[in-house]
PDB file of all heavy atoms in Angstrom:
ATOM      1  N   LEU A 144      16.437  -7.792 -14.554  1.00 98.00           N
ATOM      2  CA  LEU A 144      15.886  -7.366 -15.806  1.00 98.00           C
ATOM      3  C   LEU A 144      16.823  -6.387 -16.529  1.00 98.00           C
ATOM      4  O   LEU A 144      17.414  -5.576 -15.852  1.00 98.00           O
ATOM      5  CB  LEU A 144      14.569  -6.680 -15.576  1.00 98.00           C
ATOM      6  CG  LEU A 144      13.492  -7.548 -14.854  1.00 98.00           C
ATOM      7  CD1 LEU A 144      12.172  -6.691 -14.598  1.00 98.00           C
ATOM      8  CD2 LEU A 144      13.050  -8.787 -15.724  1.00 98.00           C
ATOM      9  N   ASP A 145      16.901  -6.567 -17.848  1.00 96.00           N
ATOM     10  CA  ASP A 145      17.621  -5.641 -18.635  1.00 96.00           C
ATOM     11  C   ASP A 145      16.814  -4.318 -18.791  1.00 96.00           C
ATOM     12  O   ASP A 145      15.624  -4.342 -19.141  1.00 96.00           O
ATOM     13  CB  ASP A 145      17.927  -6.193 -20.069  1.00 96.00           C
ATOM     14  CG  ASP A 145      18.900  -7.452 -19.902  1.00 96.00           C
ATOM     15  OD1 ASP A 145      19.751  -7.421 -18.976  1.00 96.00           O
ATOM     16  OD2 ASP A 145      18.796  -8.342 -20.823  1.00 96.00           O
ATOM     17  N   LEU A 146      17.555  -3.218 -18.851  1.00 97.00           N
ATOM     18  CA  LEU A 146      16.910  -1.955 -19.107  1.00 97.00           C
ATOM     19  C   LEU A 146      16.652  -1.816 -20.603  1.00 97.00           C
ATOM     20  O   LEU A 146      17.529  -2.117 -21.407  1.00 97.00           O
ATOM     21  CB  LEU A 146      17.817  -0.709 -18.688  1.00 97.00           C
ATOM     22  CG  LEU A 146      17.834  -0.456 -17.142  1.00 97.00           C
ATOM     23  CD1 LEU A 146      19.047   0.371 -16.805  1.00 97.00           C
ATOM     24  CD2 LEU A 146      16.526   0.307 -16.796  1.00 97.00           C
ATOM     25  N   PRO A 147      15.449  -1.369 -21.038  1.00 97.00           N
ATOM     26  CA  PRO A 147      15.240  -1.050 -22.393  1.00 97.00           C
ATOM     27  C   PRO A 147      16.225  -0.055 -22.903  1.00 97.00           C
ATOM     28  O   PRO A 147      16.623   0.775 -22.118  1.00 97.00           O
ATOM     29  CB  PRO A 147      13.852  -0.536 -22.438  1.00 97.00           C
ATOM     30  CG  PRO A 147      13.136  -1.142 -21.262  1.00 97.00           C
ATOM     31  CD  PRO A 147      14.265  -1.261 -20.170  1.00 97.00           C
ATOM     32  N   GLU A 148      16.506   0.008 -24.175  1.00 97.00           N
ATOM     33  CA  GLU A 148      17.466   0.899 -24.739  1.00 97.00           C
ATOM     34  C   GLU A 148      16.930   2.328 -24.631  1.00 97.00           C
ATOM     35  O   GLU A 148      17.710   3.293 -24.308  1.00 97.00           O
ATOM     36  CB  GLU A 148      17.723   0.545 -26.229  1.00 97.00           C
ATOM     37  CG  GLU A 148      18.736   1.518 -26.906  1.00 97.00           C
ATOM     38  CD  GLU A 148      19.082   0.998 -28.313  1.00 97.00           C
ATOM     39  OE1 GLU A 148      18.782  -0.092 -28.636  1.00 97.00           O
ATOM     40  OE2 GLU A 148      19.556   1.907 -29.124  1.00 97.00           O
ATOM     41  N   VAL A 149      15.690   2.599 -24.762  1.00 98.00           N
ATOM     42  CA  VAL A 149      15.033   3.915 -24.710  1.00 98.00           C
ATOM     43  C   VAL A 149      14.420   4.013 -23.283  1.00 98.00           C
ATOM     44  O   VAL A 149      13.580   3.149 -22.945  1.00 98.00           O
ATOM     45  CB  VAL A 149      13.952   4.129 -25.887  1.00 98.00           C
ATOM     46  CG1 VAL A 149      13.344   5.512 -25.658  1.00 98.00           C
ATOM     47  CG2 VAL A 149      14.667   4.016 -27.193  1.00 98.00           C
ATOM     48  N   ARG A 150      14.806   5.124 -22.621  1.00 98.00           N
ATOM     49  CA  ARG A 150      14.300   5.245 -21.276  1.00 98.00           C
ATOM     50  C   ARG A 150      13.952   6.710 -21.111  1.00 98.00           C
ATOM     51  O   ARG A 150      14.719   7.656 -21.329  1.00 98.00           O
ATOM     52  CB  ARG A 150      15.405   4.789 -20.278  1.00 98.00           C
ATOM     53  CG  ARG A 150      15.829   3.459 -20.389  1.00 98.00           C
ATOM     54  CD  ARG A 150      16.840   2.999 -19.306  1.00 98.00           C
ATOM     55  NE  ARG A 150      18.106   3.577 -19.547  1.00 98.00           N
ATOM     56  CZ  ARG A 150      19.034   3.019 -20.341  1.00 98.00           C
ATOM     57  NH1 ARG A 150      18.839   1.889 -20.962  1.00 98.00           N
ATOM     58  NH2 ARG A 150      20.267   3.565 -20.472  1.00 98.00           N
ATOM     59  N   VAL A 151      12.711   6.934 -20.424  1.00 98.00           N
ATOM     60  CA  VAL A 151      12.325   8.225 -20.028  1.00 98.00           C
ATOM     61  C   VAL A 151      12.179   8.181 -18.559  1.00 98.00           C
ATOM     62  O   VAL A 151      11.322   7.509 -17.996  1.00 98.00           O
ATOM     63  CB  VAL A 151      10.923   8.632 -20.659  1.00 98.00           C
ATOM     64  CG1 VAL A 151      10.512   9.970 -20.194  1.00 98.00           C
ATOM     65  CG2 VAL A 151      11.039   8.613 -22.154  1.00 98.00           C
ATOM     66  N   THR A 152      13.108   8.881 -17.776  1.00 97.00           N
ATOM     67  CA  THR A 152      13.144   8.873 -16.419  1.00 97.00           C
ATOM     68  C   THR A 152      12.758  10.253 -15.807  1.00 97.00           C
ATOM     69  O   THR A 152      12.457  11.155 -16.532  1.00 97.00           O
ATOM     70  CB  THR A 152      14.595   8.390 -15.946  1.00 97.00           C
ATOM     71  OG1 THR A 152      15.529   9.366 -16.455  1.00 97.00           O
ATOM     72  CG2 THR A 152      14.970   7.024 -16.380  1.00 97.00           C
ATOM     73  N   ALA A 153      12.836  10.340 -14.509  1.00 95.00           N
ATOM     74  CA  ALA A 153      12.430  11.543 -13.826  1.00 95.00           C
ATOM     75  C   ALA A 153      13.295  12.784 -14.350  1.00 95.00           C
ATOM     76  O   ALA A 153      12.689  13.896 -14.397  1.00 95.00           O
ATOM     77  CB  ALA A 153      12.675  11.407 -12.303  1.00 95.00           C
ATOM     78  N   GLU A 154      14.578  12.525 -14.690  1.00 96.00           N
ATOM     79  CA  GLU A 154      15.348  13.585 -15.207  1.00 96.00           C
ATOM     80  C   GLU A 154      14.899  14.139 -16.534  1.00 96.00           C
ATOM     81  O   GLU A 154      15.291  15.201 -16.986  1.00 96.00           O
ATOM     82  CB  GLU A 154      16.829  13.212 -15.354  1.00 96.00           C
ATOM     83  CG  GLU A 154      17.503  12.733 -14.010  1.00 96.00           C
ATOM     84  CD  GLU A 154      17.335  11.401 -13.759  1.00 96.00           C
ATOM     85  OE1 GLU A 154      16.418  10.682 -14.298  1.00 96.00           O
ATOM     86  OE2 GLU A 154      18.204  10.795 -13.015  1.00 96.00           O
ATOM     87  N   SER A 155      14.079  13.314 -17.263  1.00 95.00           N
ATOM     88  CA  SER A 155      13.739  13.637 -18.668  1.00 95.00           C
ATOM     89  C   SER A 155      12.527  14.524 -18.806  1.00 95.00           C
ATOM     90  O   SER A 155      12.274  14.904 -19.890  1.00 95.00           O
ATOM     91  CB  SER A 155      13.451  12.304 -19.358  1.00 95.00           C
ATOM     92  OG  SER A 155      14.556  11.359 -19.257  1.00 95.00           O
TER      93      SER A 155
END
Side-chain angles (χ1 to χ4, degrees):
L144 301 175
D145 292 330
L146 281 163
E148 183 176 337
V149 178
R150 300 183 287 275
V151 178
T152 59
E154 298 93 337
S155 309

